[in-house]
Amino acid sequence: MCFMINSEQSIWFCSLSQNDPLKFTKGNYLTPLLPFCINTKNYSDFYRNERYADMNVLIVAFARIIDLAFNIYTFIVIARALISWVNPDPYNPIVRFLHNATDPALYRLRRLIPFLQLGSFDLSPIALLILLSVVQQVLVSFLYQLAQ
């Protein structure tokens, strides 16, 4: 059994058996399965890709997981930048987590581009956010194109 979503965003179930050709029956909305469905606009796309449908679903799921990981790390970098405006307790577990999660990337960026620290202003979180955004867009769009 496999799943697909057409342009009306309804889920269609298809059964693949030796006796029957591809049969589609309309089903209910299954929101937990939506991230793992194949987005197609018509049936001809699905017929053409039915051989690789499972691999396409895995690639799309992997792309969404990577996209989610980049978004979470972006929020961690933003939280680190906001925390740096106040004088937090360095032994606080949240502050330690933010520092441990972002320091390796920020130190490498500061070493590569030393002019990111202008006196007391540290622009490395902004540069890291821009870099994360570019890498996220390139990587995720490449994986989506690979799944098509």
Side-chain angles (χ1 to χ4, degrees):
M1 176 169 298
C2 57
F3 304 97
M4 85 175 242
I5 300 177
N6 65 1
S7 59
E8 291 93 26
Q9 293 297 315
S10 59
I11 295 178
W12 293 80
F13 300 96
C14 66
S15 61
L16 296 171
S17 67
Q18 294 175 351
N19 301 334
D20 296 332
L22 214 50
K23 279 194 203 174
F24 292 98
T25 57
K26 191 169 183 178
N28 296 333
Y29 286 97
L30 299 173
T31 52
L33 294 175
L34 287 178
F36 302 104
C37 294
I38 303 167
N39 294 318
T40 59
K41 295 201 176 174
N42 55 27
Y43 299 110
S44 64
D45 290 342
F46 190 74
Y47 284 123
R48 194 170 353 121
N49 293 330
E50 74 179 58
R51 188 174 192 188
Y52 303 106
D54 293 335
M55 185 57 78
N56 290 346
V57 169
L58 289 175
I59 292 172
V60 168
F62 185 65
R64 290 187 181 193
I65 289 170
I66 288 176
D67 192 34
L68 179 66
F70 271 103
N71 286 336
I72 290 171
Y73 194 71
T74 299
F75 283 116
I76 290 172
V77 171
I78 291 171
R80 161 75 192 266
L82 292 176
I83 288 290
S84 71
W85 291 353
V86 296
N87 191 9
D89 179 21
Y91 299 107
N92 186 334
I94 296 172
V95 174
R96 288 176 54 193
F97 167 75
L98 291 175
H99 283 279
N100 290 337
T102 57
D103 277 345
L106 290 174
Y107 284 148
R108 286 189 184 110
L109 199 60
R110 289 175 191 143
R111 207 172 45 213
L112 288 173
I113 310 170
F115 62 85
L116 288 175
Q117 289 184 316
L118 303 172
S120 63
F121 294 108
D122 185 15
L123 301 178
S124 58
I126 295 172
L128 182 61
L129 288 174
I130 293 169
L131 182 67
L132 284 173
S133 177
V134 169
V135 171
Q136 177 183 11
Q137 291 296 321
V138 168
L139 188 61
V140 171
S141 65
F142 171 73
L143 287 173
Y144 279 133
Q145 288 296 324
L146 186 65
Q148 292 288 325

